[in-house]
Amino acid sequence: MKVALMIGAAAVLALPATGLAQDAASVAEAEAVGVGDIIVTARKREESLQTTPLSVSAFSGDALDKAGIEEFSEIASRVPGFTFNPDNVSEPNIFLRGIGTDIESAASSAAIGFFLNDVYLPRAQGTAIELFDLERVEIVRGPQGTLYGKNVVGGAINFITRKPTDEFRAGMEAGIGNYAAFDVKANVAGGIADGLSGSIAATARRRDGFAFNTFTGNDMEDLSAFGVLGQLRYQPSDSLDILLTGDLTRRRAQGKWVDILIPSDHNIPFVNPDRRRGPNNIDGKQDADLGGVHLTADWDTGSGTLTSITAYREGSFVAVNNDAGSFIDFTRLVYGPDGRIDFGAIDRDAFNDDYFVNNKDEKVESFSQELRFNSDFDGPFNFLAGLYYQHEKVKRVENSDYIFVEFFAQGEEIGETRLKSDTWAAFVEGTYDFTETLGLTAGIRYTRDNKRFAVYRETIGDFLGAEFEDENGNFTRSFTASDKQSWDAWTPSVNLHWQPAEDVYLYALVSKGYKSGGWNGENATNPGEARVSYDPEYAWNYEIGAKTMWLDNRLRLNLTGFWTEYKDLQTQQFVIFDPNLPADNVIANAGKARVKGIELETQMVPVDGLTLFANYTYMDAKITGDLISTALQFDTSCFCSVPVPTNLKGNVLRRSPENSFSIGGDLTVPITDRFEGFVRADYSWTDGFFFDNENSDRTAQDSVGVLNGSLGLQTEDGKWTFTLWAKNLTNELYESGKSDVIGSVLVSYAPPRTYGASLKWKY
């Protein structure tokens, strides 16, 4: 992949998990009197977090550095109510407020949107991108159906880079850790010519694997990653600001470790005594290459700012894994004259019942253009209006090689799917201030999605699901199909906001979100089935919030209550169509779902040098409409197992913990005239939840708490910093993914305890 790169960055400070600051000077001034003000751009304009009528969490680039955060998964784990499973680099499972993305399909759209400098990151780019030299990361909860370029129903994550200025800055950091970890970062920025500035930043890191394959003698879950971010900024006058940004990420890793947590009777002999060590036929891989070029121009017309954002992005993802976590001794198999396994001639009890090597290769390209005008009138009325277009191409090839000894099945299944989509949108949002303290913001967006989908399916050997049929219903080994559909939606929002006192800001929000439909072509068994689309997903969000400051700006306390109703919720389901074959993974629409809850965010500076924070989320997420699942049950009339449908109405939505919280603190104390010592810690706790909509106790996640911390020494001017850090300090073993397959519960694990040291210099 070749993407042009140009130069990157300039930074601001803020405190962990609660907000952002404007610049280094204002932060220093604000911290002298308490928590201080925080500026966010979640609504496409600069405004104080305390007067932003949305539920927003944020991390500054400095907070990410202090916490040693290098991947998005580490951010998600520190946000209550956010669950994230990065087991598959091409299809991460991301859930916020009980709604998320776990759909394995080229035709699907994401529920959680990722953006880099207002540019939508398609497919898995948002979770694979290297995080460094960022000004801040904003997490906006709930449906975002009006202002964001790509409609999302679950929330938006915004990565904002540090812009270069004429002021020179530079920095370098190097670190080591257990698992032979090593990382290095460097950045430089400053003026180049009159009105022209630039920056470039790079990072490289590696570590050994968290698991070990005793069959190949190699680590699994290792990592080697490289990233570069460049920016050029041209400001020929006070009214024109042009920013060219280029980024590139390259990740290489062995496959994700899969462990048999609860074995079927058949698989009891194949359980590994060590949860992170055992035999596997392959090491697998999790590779990603992604990058893009963005050109942003802001022109101050005098009556407002006209913004143009032009972007091109591309990504390539390869994921190869033995999803059964099994080892098959192929030398002990007996083959018939046709070269296939003779299951009647082997002792099937000597083999794991499930061998399933999945090879997924996905490539994506996208082009987007956004134009918007943000007025700056002197009167009580202002507005933001814009147009948006995106073209996206996805090519996905999935090759599954499998052996199921209990089903006498051996084969290979190939699915190649292609998607071309075009999204057009027009949006407008206006704000009218009735008084200096009372205002109303209302907006609406029209979105149209045109999608063209094509699939090629082929099976070699025994069918994994039902046998294939052609257009005429005749048996076939392969088929092709294509279809095209258009979906559109109007998504309004209304927001009433009132500031009854200087330190109190109240708001009430009603907004609608939308996600386009798609196809189940990856798992179709005939052309007609491949052309059947699932419906779009819609959400109505009702939210009230209070943002307050207390104790002379030493305590920030923000409280949000929300109620979101989903219609035709898109969800992935394992469905048994044939009791003689494994379950199929298909996409279904749940008739309705409802998520309600409370979010509390606090930050306190009781004395100078000490900052404390505590965040809490309560969530009640239920399926309130029909959603049919099937499971095998024994039928005494035939002495056999038959598929029995079950309506999941009333069940808890998957990956939706009822209670979750994070607490932490940051203490800095002077040691000498030249040096300061610091101690930082954060603890995140998540209630138990279900990994599936069936709410099976076998695939439930127990509650877990994770402690992270660091301590160190820095010079008084902040130029040199030495840090000792640790993540998952108590070495908790907990699952990041879990599934029940042919009677065995298969799991992947979150990272174990990691620790290390780093030395940082900045100018």
Side-chain angles (χ1 to χ4, degrees):
M1 181 182 79
K2 296 181 180 179
V3 178
L5 297 171
M6 303 307 302
I7 318 194
V12 283
L13 303 178
L15 296 167
T18 54
L20 322 170
Q22 298 182 56
D23 52 50
S26 64
V27 170
E29 180 181 352
E31 286 182 344
V33 295
V35 173
D37 197 10
I38 297 170
I39 300 300
V40 297
T41 55
R43 295 200 303 157
K44 310 298 184 184
R45 69 203 72 172
E46 291 189 354
E47 55 191 351
S48 167
L49 175 68
Q50 292 305 103
T51 56
T52 301
L54 294 172
S55 177
V56 183
S57 291
F59 293 82
S60 73
D62 184 66
L64 299 176
D65 290 342
K66 287 181 178 180
I69 291 174
E70 297 176 310
E71 297 187 0
F72 176 74
S73 60
E74 297 176 328
I75 295 178
S77 66
R78 289 165 167 82
V79 177
F82 209 140
T83 63
F84 176 59
N85 174 15
D87 288 355
N88 187 324
V89 69
S90 67
E91 299 156 347
N93 298 329
I94 313 160
F95 284 75
L96 180 61
R97 280 189 178 178
I99 299 300
T101 301
D102 63 352
I103 293 177
E104 301 177 3
S105 169
S108 65
S109 299
I112 309 295
F114 286 80
F115 300 83
L116 176 64
N117 289 348
D118 287 342
V119 174
Y120 179 68
L121 302 178
R123 308 299 289 176
Q125 293 188 37
T127 56
I129 194 170
E130 284 292 284
L131 300 182
F132 63 104
D133 209 32
L134 294 176
E135 179 179 316
R136 62 185 182 272
V137 177
E138 299 176 357
I139 298 174
V140 188
R141 300 178 179 90
Q144 306 301 316
T146 304
L147 296 182
Y148 283 83
K150 191 77 171 180
N151 250 297
V152 290
V153 294
I157 290 88
N158 306 310
F159 302 131
I160 297 99
T161 63
R162 296 191 288 178
K163 293 182 180 180
T165 66
D166 290 336
E167 183 178 354
F168 177 79
R169 66 174 178 84
M172 183 173 290
E173 181 178 359
I176 58 173
N178 61 335
Y179 295 97
F182 174 77
D183 67 89
V184 60
K185 301 176 184 177
N187 69 83
V188 61
I192 300 174
D194 186 23
L196 181 65
S197 59
S199 64
I200 188 165
T203 178
R205 58 192 180 108
R206 70 157 309 277
R207 60 165 170 75
D208 290 343
F210 297 143
F212 185 74
N213 187 342
T214 58
F215 176 66
T216 65
N218 297 324
D219 279 352
M220 295 178 64
E221 298 186 345
D222 64 340
L223 178 66
S224 175
F226 168 79
V228 62
L229 170 69
Q231 297 184 117
L232 279 175
R233 189 179 187 185
Y234 183 50
Q235 297 169 286
S237 66
D238 292 339
S239 61
L240 185 60
D241 190 343
I242 301 173
L243 181 69
L244 178 65
T245 302
D247 70 279
L248 177 67
T249 291
R250 182 182 186 273
R251 295 169 64 96
R252 294 292 182 268
Q254 303 282 49
K256 191 70 178 180
W257 177 254
V258 178
D259 184 40
I260 303 176
L261 180 65
I262 303 175
S264 63
D265 291 341
H266 182 106
N267 278 345
I268 289 176
F270 307 107
V271 175
N272 296 316
D274 189 327
R275 290 301 185 192
R276 297 186 189 265
R277 183 184 181 93
N280 196 310
N281 290 93
I282 65 169
D283 296 322
K285 64 172 62 176
Q286 299 281 327
D287 296 348
D289 295 277
L290 59 104
V293 177
H294 310 165
L295 180 64
T296 301
D298 292 310
W299 176 39
D300 186 350
T301 66
S303 58
T305 301
L306 180 64
T307 299
S308 170
I309 305 174
T310 307
Y312 172 78
R313 298 203 60 85
E314 61 181 54
S316 176
F317 305 91
V318 178
V320 181
N321 232 54
N322 181 357
D323 290 343
S326 59
F327 171 73
I328 295 289
D329 187 348
F330 285 90
T331 64
R332 299 175 61 188
L333 293 174
V334 178
Y335 296 87
D338 58 357
R340 296 177 54 73
I341 299 172
D342 185 350
F343 290 100
I346 64 172
D347 179 7
R348 289 181 290 114
D349 290 337
F351 299 92
N352 188 300
D353 63 11
D354 181 5
Y355 171 84
F356 192 83
V357 174
N358 220 339
N359 187 337
K360 302 177 181 180
D361 189 326
E362 180 174 295
K363 293 178 173 59
V364 58
E365 297 178 34
S366 70
F367 168 81
S368 63
Q369 174 64 54
E370 182 168 352
L371 291 171
R372 64 175 185 253
F373 179 78
N374 196 353
S375 71
D376 186 19
F377 302 148
D378 292 333
F381 176 74
N382 273 283
F383 73 93
L384 187 154
L387 301 170
Y388 177 80
Y389 169 74
Q390 185 204 25
H391 175 73
E392 183 178 0
K393 293 195 300 185
V394 181
K395 179 184 178 182
R396 173 187 168 94
V397 179
E398 183 170 348
N399 186 320
S400 302
D401 186 5
Y402 49 85
I403 298 172
F404 296 97
V405 297
E406 288 289 272
F407 294 99
F408 293 82
Q410 174 197 9
E412 182 179 353
E413 194 166 275
I414 301 168
E416 179 178 327
T417 52
R418 295 173 182 264
L419 176 76
K420 290 185 179 181
S421 68
D422 293 282
T423 298
W424 290 270
F427 55 93
V428 61
E429 182 180 85
T431 298
Y432 187 84
D433 295 324
F434 300 105
T435 68
E436 291 184 356
T437 61
L438 179 65
L440 178 71
T441 300
I444 192 165
R445 182 188 193 94
Y446 174 76
T447 304
R448 182 178 179 86
D449 291 293
N450 291 349
K451 289 186 174 183
R452 290 157 287 173
F453 178 72
V455 59
Y456 170 76
R457 293 271 280 150
E458 180 182 355
T459 288
I460 302 170
D462 300 313
F463 285 90
L464 181 59
E467 292 183 346
F468 290 174
E469 296 178 345
D470 62 17
E471 294 280 8
N472 300 315
N474 300 317
F475 172 81
T476 184
R477 283 285 176 181
S478 64
F479 67 86
T480 61
S482 62
D483 192 30
K484 61 181 180 180
Q485 290 275 358
S486 296
W487 295 277
D488 63 350
W490 292 91
T491 49
S493 66
V494 179
N495 198 315
L496 181 66
H497 34 91
W498 178 40
Q499 190 169 9
E502 181 180 357
D503 295 332
V504 179
Y505 186 84
L506 309 175
Y507 73 91
L509 167 68
V510 179
S511 62
K512 185 180 182 181
Y514 150 82
K515 183 171 70 167
S516 63
W519 291 266
N520 262 315
E522 280 88 346
N523 296 298
T525 59
N526 60 73
E529 182 182 335
R531 285 191 287 265
V532 175
S533 60
Y534 50 85
D535 294 332
E537 178 181 315
Y538 301 93
W540 276 102
N541 182 51
Y542 308 91
E543 188 172 308
I544 57 173
K547 301 190 175 187
T548 64
M549 297 287 286
W550 304 82
L551 306 177
D552 293 328
N553 292 330
R554 289 190 175 272
L555 172 63
R556 174 186 295 122
L557 192 155
N558 296 341
L559 180 65
T560 304
F562 65 92
W563 183 301
T564 309
E565 295 279 354
Y566 287 85
K567 178 184 177 184
D568 292 327
L569 179 72
Q570 297 168 8
T571 183
Q572 197 98 13
Q573 289 294 118
F574 280 101
V575 177
I576 297 170
F577 295 104
D578 187 334
N580 298 312
L581 297 169
D584 276 345
N585 205 5
V586 300
I587 302 168
N589 287 105
K592 292 181 181 179
R594 183 264 301 142
V595 185
K596 61 181 179 180
I598 297 172
E599 295 157 348
L600 174 67
E601 293 193 342
T602 66
Q603 185 179 5
M604 186 176 185
V605 181
V607 295
D608 293 345
L610 175 62
T611 300
L612 305 174
F613 72 87
N615 306 318
Y616 167 76
T617 294
Y618 165 79
M619 186 163 51
D620 180 7
K622 293 288 180 64
I623 299 171
T624 56
D626 294 332
L627 178 61
I628 305 302
S629 175
T630 58
L632 287 179
Q633 293 185 13
F634 186 74
D635 188 343
T636 56
S637 64
C638 64
F639 290 95
C640 63
S641 294
V642 297
V644 176
T646 302
N647 194 334
L648 304 183
K649 183 176 182 179
N651 281 16
V652 177
L653 283 170
R654 66 213 186 286
R655 299 179 183 270
S656 303
E658 186 176 21
N659 299 282
S660 53
F661 68 83
S662 63
I663 57 174
D666 183 334
L667 174 64
T668 301
V669 294
I671 297 177
T672 69
D673 291 341
R674 294 188 58 191
F675 293 98
E676 297 175 334
F678 60 83
V679 178
R680 304 173 183 123
D682 63 84
Y683 177 79
S684 301
W685 188 87
T686 300
D687 214 347
F689 60 87
F690 298 104
F691 276 100
D692 57 36
N693 290 323
E694 285 80 8
N695 293 180
S696 168
D697 290 336
R698 289 166 55 85
T699 56
Q701 165 73 60
D702 293 333
S703 60
V704 62
V706 177
L707 176 65
N708 308 296
S710 63
L711 58 88
L713 192 68
Q714 64 187 17
T715 56
E716 187 272 336
D717 59 9
K719 287 188 175 181
W720 290 93
T721 304
F722 175 74
T723 305
L724 297 173
W725 58 267
K727 303 173 185 178
N728 191 4
L729 192 59
T730 57
N731 202 26
E732 297 293 325
L733 180 70
Y734 63 101
E735 300 89 5
S736 61
K738 208 169 190 178
S739 59
D740 195 340
V741 182
I742 318 179
S744 292
V745 175
L746 307 176
V747 303
S748 53
Y749 296 110
R753 176 172 51 224
T754 56
Y755 52 85
S758 67
L759 180 64
K760 181 178 181 180
W761 167 82
K762 66 178 181 179
Y763 178 83

